[in-house]
Amino acid sequence: MENETADEIQKTADNLYCSLDEALVEEVKQFLILLAAFNIILSLVAFLGNTLILDALRKESSIRPPSKLFFRCLAATDICVGALIGPLSVYYWISTANKRLSNCQAVVSVLFLTANILTLVSLLTVTAISVDRLLGLSLGQKFKHVVTLKRTYVVVTAFWIMSIGIAILPLYNFLVYSWCVYTIVTLCLATAIFTYTKIFCTLRHNHNRAICVLRHMTPLTLARYKKAVSSSLWVQATMVVCFLPHVIVGILGQVLQDWSKPANSLLFITKACTVTLVYINSSLNPILYCWRIKSIRNAVKARMKQIFCC
């Protein structure tokens, strides 16, 4: 039964990505070319933008090292999207439009594996940032002793190891892989909703002075904390907006069992658009960092001035 399921999955993937009907390819050829051009722009923005963010974080001293490590991890995954996922996607779209895609299964397999790893690491990291913000409010002075840089390194390493392990599960058991992914996504979303709800309820039902006394925060520290929470929430909300359509389309495709119909151009275009929306998230994150975090914005401006002056 497992072998039959694996064969069905492989057949479905081939029909969707590698064995497209010639009439369908001809129908969506112009769309594929435009999509490839758009992905080139996204790749450049994601790679260059997040490279600037990593450089700005290296020089930034106002952000605590554990929190900085989470942002570095998130920026690193976005750089990988720009450097790996983007070019491979452009190669796939252009080759498909020209009907010259050789080694399709290898390209799709690498895309699938790499995208799964980076997506899971990004999702887990964003969730960890929300938990970090809640602990900063609830632990007070103990926060620095509980959330240390060494422990944060352990957490980030665990994220990468777990994501790689889950990403290779389809090679052995696709059903287990699906359940693992759905479980992680559900837990991450539930954790993020709980943490931000707890934070905003605490800030809303307590006056600033009471919070300062209770949590040993100065008014300036409290103001910085609110900005940090707002920035993290923007990153979380942007990821949900970019990833949710892709998840919905994937679930509907499995429920309707319509992926194997090669003539359905609307379904193919919808799937391609939702995948591109996922890639857009990596290009939006640097903009969010510069918009919401003043110190990073100033560091990026300084670096840009140096680059243009040189």
Side-chain angles (χ1 to χ4, degrees):
M1 185 178 296
E2 291 180 357
N3 293 333
E4 291 178 357
T5 303
D7 292 340
E8 291 178 359
I9 293 168
Q10 183 64 40
K11 182 179 178 181
T12 301
D14 290 344
N15 288 334
L16 178 59
Y17 297 108
C18 300
S19 300
L20 298 176
D21 186 73
E22 292 186 1
L24 171 63
V25 174
E26 191 65 29
E27 185 178 352
V28 299
K29 183 176 181 179
Q30 297 299 323
F31 169 77
L32 293 177
I33 295 175
L34 291 175
L35 193 62
F38 185 58
N39 273 267
I40 293 175
I41 298 174
L42 290 180
S43 298
L44 291 174
V45 173
F47 181 79
L48 297 177
N50 286 283
T51 301
L52 287 173
I53 294 300
L54 276 181
D55 182 71
L57 287 171
R58 181 176 60 85
K59 300 179 179 179
E60 179 54 42
S61 59
S62 62
I63 302 177
R64 293 186 67 252
S67 300
K68 188 187 298 186
L69 179 59
F70 284 133
F71 282 111
R72 282 178 174 176
C73 180
L74 197 58
T77 58
D78 291 335
I79 288 177
C80 292
V81 170
L84 298 176
I85 302 298
L88 284 175
S89 299
V90 171
Y91 170 76
Y92 172 78
W93 299 129
I94 294 178
S95 300
T96 302
N98 294 327
K99 303 177 184 178
R100 295 178 180 177
L101 183 58
S102 59
N103 302 322
C104 175
Q105 292 184 359
V107 173
V108 172
S109 298
V110 173
L111 272 173
F112 183 79
L113 179 65
T114 309
N116 278 344
I117 294 173
L118 298 178
T119 299
L120 289 173
V121 172
S122 298
L123 183 60
L124 291 169
T125 303
V126 171
T127 305
I129 292 174
S130 67
V131 175
D132 177 76
R133 296 291 179 255
L134 178 60
L135 292 176
L137 180 64
S138 59
L139 294 179
Q141 294 294 333
K142 297 180 181 179
F143 176 68
K144 296 180 180 180
H145 303 286
V146 175
V147 183
T148 62
L149 182 59
K150 183 177 180 179
R151 292 176 179 174
T152 306
Y153 269 113
V154 173
V155 171
V156 170
T157 303
F159 286 167
W160 280 95
I161 294 175
M162 182 172 62
S163 299
I164 293 173
I166 294 175
I168 64 177
L169 273 179
L171 299 176
Y172 305 98
N173 193 315
F174 191 84
L175 182 60
V176 174
Y177 159 79
S178 300
W179 277 107
C180 288
V181 170
Y182 292 146
T183 302
I184 290 177
V185 171
T186 302
L187 289 177
C188 288
L189 292 178
T191 301
I193 292 173
F194 170 78
T195 53
Y196 285 115
T197 302
K198 181 69 174 178
I199 290 171
F200 285 113
C201 288
T202 303
L203 295 177
R204 181 179 179 182
H205 290 90
N206 294 276
H207 295 291
N208 290 349
R209 181 176 298 179
I211 295 177
C212 292
V213 174
L214 183 62
R215 307 299 181 194
H216 305 284
M217 288 185 180
T218 64
L220 179 59
T221 304
L222 181 61
R224 290 178 177 176
Y225 174 79
K226 289 182 177 180
K227 289 182 179 180
V229 171
S230 177
S231 302
S232 303
L233 184 58
W234 272 98
V235 174
Q236 180 85 46
T238 303
M239 175 172 282
V240 171
V241 171
C242 291
F243 280 74
L244 189 59
H246 180 63
V247 175
I248 293 175
V249 170
I251 294 175
L252 288 178
Q254 290 183 358
V255 172
L256 299 176
Q257 296 181 352
D258 201 22
W259 295 121
S260 58
K261 296 181 180 179
N264 196 336
S265 60
L266 178 61
L267 186 59
F268 180 84
I269 292 175
T270 303
K271 183 73 172 180
C273 289
T274 58
V275 170
T276 303
L277 185 61
V278 172
Y279 300 158
I280 290 177
N281 180 73
S282 298
S283 302
L284 289 179
N285 280 337
I287 300 174
L288 290 176
Y289 298 150
C290 294
W291 175 41
R292 303 299 305 178
I293 306 176
K294 184 178 180 181
S295 56
I296 292 181
R297 180 170 66 249
N298 293 335
V300 170
K301 286 182 179 179
R303 174 57 68 181
M304 292 295 291
K305 289 181 180 179
Q306 293 178 0
I307 294 174
F308 286 115
C309 287
C310 293

